[in-house]
Amino acid sequence: MDTTAAVSARMSRQRSRDTGTEIALRKALHALGLRYRVHQRPVRTVRREADVVFTRVKVAVFVDGCFWHGCPEHATWPKRNADFWRDKIEGNRRRDRDTDVRLGEQGWAVVRVWEHEDPLVAAGRVRDVVLAQRSEVD
Ligand SMILES: [Zn+2]
């Protein structure tokens, strides 16, 4: 089944799962004693909003949805309107890489978390990056 309705259903499911991962990740980070801002532009002049931002140590975390960002494990490429979806998803991926480069140029470390990842494992990864950046700042 690959009707437009099926695709829409998958997208909305994906979107709410995405939010679930993000909230679980934030809870896990908080439990690790980390404090952060949410949904902010790390760099004012770069029009990209990160999901979790550690301003002082310059760490930006993005939680990427498996469908929208073309996760290598779960990417489902709809057969109907295939070109449209491929352009859309590949466009998102290009934009993600571009975001990483632009933030990197401003001294930011970017952590990307797939929505399918275990939030506790991802939180540990984020903590490691925060600690590494912290030792550079202090
Ligand atoms: Zn995935």
Side-chain angles (χ1 to χ4, degrees):
M1 187 176 69
D2 207 3
T3 62
T4 304
V7 171
S8 318
R10 183 158 61 224
M11 286 183 325
S12 53
R13 199 161 58 234
Q14 213 83 28
R15 226 177 252 158
S16 55
R17 273 222 314 251
D18 201 12
T19 305
T21 305
E22 194 185 317
I23 289 169
L25 174 67
R26 285 181 354 214
K27 271 190 188 165
L29 291 170
H30 198 269
L32 290 171
L34 298 173
R35 299 299 176 260
Y36 47 80
R37 293 159 191 267
V38 297
H39 300 149
Q40 293 218 336
R41 266 190 216 177
V43 177
R44 207 177 313 147
T45 52
V46 179
R47 298 172 61 84
R48 308 288 159 82
E49 206 176 71
D51 296 310
V52 178
V53 177
F54 297 86
T55 311
R56 199 176 66 85
V57 297
K58 293 189 170 180
V59 176
V61 181
F62 294 84
V63 179
D64 294 335
C66 292
F67 177 79
W68 286 108
H69 297 263
C71 157
E73 288 177 46
H74 308 104
T76 48
W77 301 86
K79 288 185 181 64
R80 200 183 164 94
N81 299 321
D83 290 347
F84 169 81
W85 290 112
R86 197 176 49 243
D87 286 355
K88 187 106 189 134
I89 292 167
E90 285 179 352
N92 286 340
R93 293 175 61 88
R94 269 196 305 277
R95 189 180 154 91
D96 293 342
R97 297 293 83 80
D98 179 65
T99 300
D100 296 353
V101 169
R102 293 212 212 179
L103 294 182
E105 284 168 355
Q106 304 290 325
W108 283 72
V110 175
V111 182
R112 291 205 171 262
V113 175
W114 286 113
E115 67 168 326
H116 70 251
E117 281 190 63
D118 180 333
L120 295 179
V121 174
R125 204 146 51 82
V126 172
R127 180 194 51 199
D128 291 347
V129 175
V130 167
L131 293 179
Q133 288 281 103
R134 200 179 272 168
S135 64
E136 283 187 24
V137 170
D138 291 335

